[in-house]
Amino acid sequence: MKRKKVLFVCTGNTCRSPMAEFIFRREIKKRKIKYVDAASAGIFMQKGSALSANSAACLDELGIDHSKFKPRQLRHKMIEGSYLVVCMTSAQKDLLNGYDHVFSVKDIAGFDIPDPYGQDIAAYKRTANRIYAAVDAIIKKYFQ
């Protein structure tokens, strides 16, 4: 069976979409869902950027290894090669119009995931909790 890739997209691929990628991977593994994988990318990724310290701290607290993660710039080829593309906000989805398999978290779960960039660890933990809720909705809608 061909693997189905879920691509998570945010602005810079340093905060939300990497957390979504790792949390989604954990959840599909935990639920024993096969032939599904995840990736992430940023619409406006800056060269030389890295996973934000607070995103890393949240993933560390969850026991998720992120040591090999490097932010990536979104490319059309990534969108075309994905089964499902999930943007953190409706505004990001609007930038990727023209694809019928691109959705926002709001389309699937009923809410956007605001950018915690530059905020304290509490904001990142709230973001991680929202991502868990979104991942649960994505899995229930597309993979169960």
Side-chain angles (χ1 to χ4, degrees):
M1 179 180 261
K2 187 177 179 194
R3 296 190 72 76
K4 294 179 178 179
K5 184 186 289 182
V6 177
L7 178 65
F8 292 96
V9 175
C10 71
T11 305
N13 196 217
T14 61
C15 299
R16 297 168 289 175
S17 60
M19 285 198 292
E21 173 186 348
F22 287 110
I23 289 169
F24 182 84
R25 280 188 183 149
R26 168 181 265 184
E27 288 301 302
I28 59 172
K29 184 176 181 178
K30 188 165 93 177
R31 298 174 196 206
K32 297 183 169 104
I33 298 169
K34 297 183 181 197
Y35 307 107
V36 177
D37 199 6
S40 64
I43 295 171
F44 302 113
M45 192 276 299
Q46 294 183 351
K47 246 186 185 347
S49 61
L51 184 65
S52 75
N54 284 339
S55 290
C58 284
L59 292 171
D60 288 342
E61 192 172 293
L62 294 168
I64 298 174
D65 178 26
H66 54 83
S67 60
K68 294 180 180 160
F69 179 78
K70 288 187 183 1
R72 299 185 313 160
Q73 175 64 47
L74 180 65
R75 305 268 183 239
H76 288 287
K77 186 177 179 179
M78 293 172 173
I79 297 169
E80 292 162 358
S82 296
Y83 170 75
L84 177 67
V85 179
V86 181
C87 299
M88 298 294 112
T89 66
S90 298
Q92 291 163 343
K93 173 194 161 192
D94 292 345
L95 292 172
L96 306 181
N97 63 5
Y99 293 97
D100 62 356
H101 66 297
V102 174
F103 299 92
S104 68
V105 169
K106 190 171 191 171
D107 293 333
I108 300 166
F111 55 88
D112 277 337
I113 299 184
D115 194 351
Y117 182 78
Q119 297 181 48
D120 63 11
I121 190 69
Y124 280 78
K125 287 181 181 183
R126 285 190 301 274
T127 299
N129 287 334
R130 286 185 188 110
I131 289 170
Y132 262 109
V135 162
D136 187 57
I138 292 164
I139 290 171
K140 284 178 179 169
K141 184 168 184 167
Y142 293 98
F143 301 107
Q144 284 187 332

